Amino acid sequence: MGLKNKDLISIHDLSVGEVATILDVSKKIKRKQKAGEPHEYLKGKTLAMIFSKASTRTRVSFETGFHQLGGHPIYMSEATSQIGRGEPVKDTARVLSRFVDGIMIRTFSHEAVKELAKYASVPVINGLTDLLHPCQALTDIFTVLEYKEVLKGRKLVYVGDGNNMAHSLMFACAKVGMNMVCASPKGYQPNPQILQQAQEDAKATGATITVEEDMFDAAKGADVLYTDVWASMGEEAEREVRMKALHDYQINAELLATARPDAMVLHCLPAHRGEEITEEVIEGKHSAVFDEAENRLHVQKAIMALLMSDEVL
Ligand code: CP
Ligand code: NVA
């Protein structure tokens, strides 16, 4: 298989076919789990999970998922490992590679994850950096596929901070032929280099990836409305400034009325009700946020199986 022994650091690094394979295997693995059919593709294997930031979904979905695949996951926090005491990433990478079959990492620096992958001889999976959150974005696209059946030509409108989530969604949409508009105020728009790379990727599928300030204009004809917190992990000190700057960038009933009548609403969670999304919308009939959260389990199981299993899936 094309993905065996590779890393999953950014969706940009994946081919269009590899993204399609992940979606296809996610569907198969989800079906098997629901049917109670065995799918222990990683029996006897071990996964190290390094967390330098908080997590509910990522930790529990990776840990449960790896266990369901027959393997043994090991949770490592920065505080209770030598990572927090300054052991170099390149040493951690080489040591863990002698023990485990894969490494999942959630941390601040994207460069640190690239360094880890460079020195590790086992697959490295990005569980979120300040720059990207690829497993979440692949899950989001899988969720759209479940609801909408066809991805090509669909329109996803991301509202709010042009952050790690916006970046990974731009790459994901580009790879599956979905049109994406990132509606963000000046100063909080996505990284121009990521935007440019996503636009390059989009040439292969005919998708359009754009940025604009006016979210009502952006939301017209949207199949998917997406948002994320105004202040991400690590940005706590900027919270007050961000609350003011991003104040209008909220998914609420008015914005939802601008989208298609059958539009779905996604949020990677955790959500701040009354900030980037209203209680009414997140709890309303357009919201698919808990199906989206569940799908982290299925999609990450597919990713881990594809990167680490000897079986052809
Ligand atoms: N969406 C997401 O990654 O959630 P956690 O921060 O809880 O892992
Ligand atoms: N942008 C958010 C996503 C959390 C899953 C953060 O980085 O905190």
Side-chain angles (χ1 to χ4, degrees), residues 27 52 64 66 70 76 88 104 157 171 177 185-186 204 213 230 236 238 261 281 297 303:
K27 186 176 174 185
S52 303
T64 306
F66 202 75
M76 298 171 67
M104 187 250 105
V157 176
F171 283 140
K186 288 226 163 57
E213 270 186 86
W230 290 338
E236 290 77 10
E238 295 174 31
V281 169
L297 175 73
I303 291 168

Side-chain angles (χ1 to χ4, degrees), residues 36-55:
E37 290 174 17
H39 52 286
E40 295 197 329
Y41 301 120
L42 299 177
K43 206 168 174 58
K45 304 221 186 237
T46 307
L47 176 77
M49 310 192 306
I50 304 170
F51 282 87
S52 303
K53 283 178 172 175
S55 171

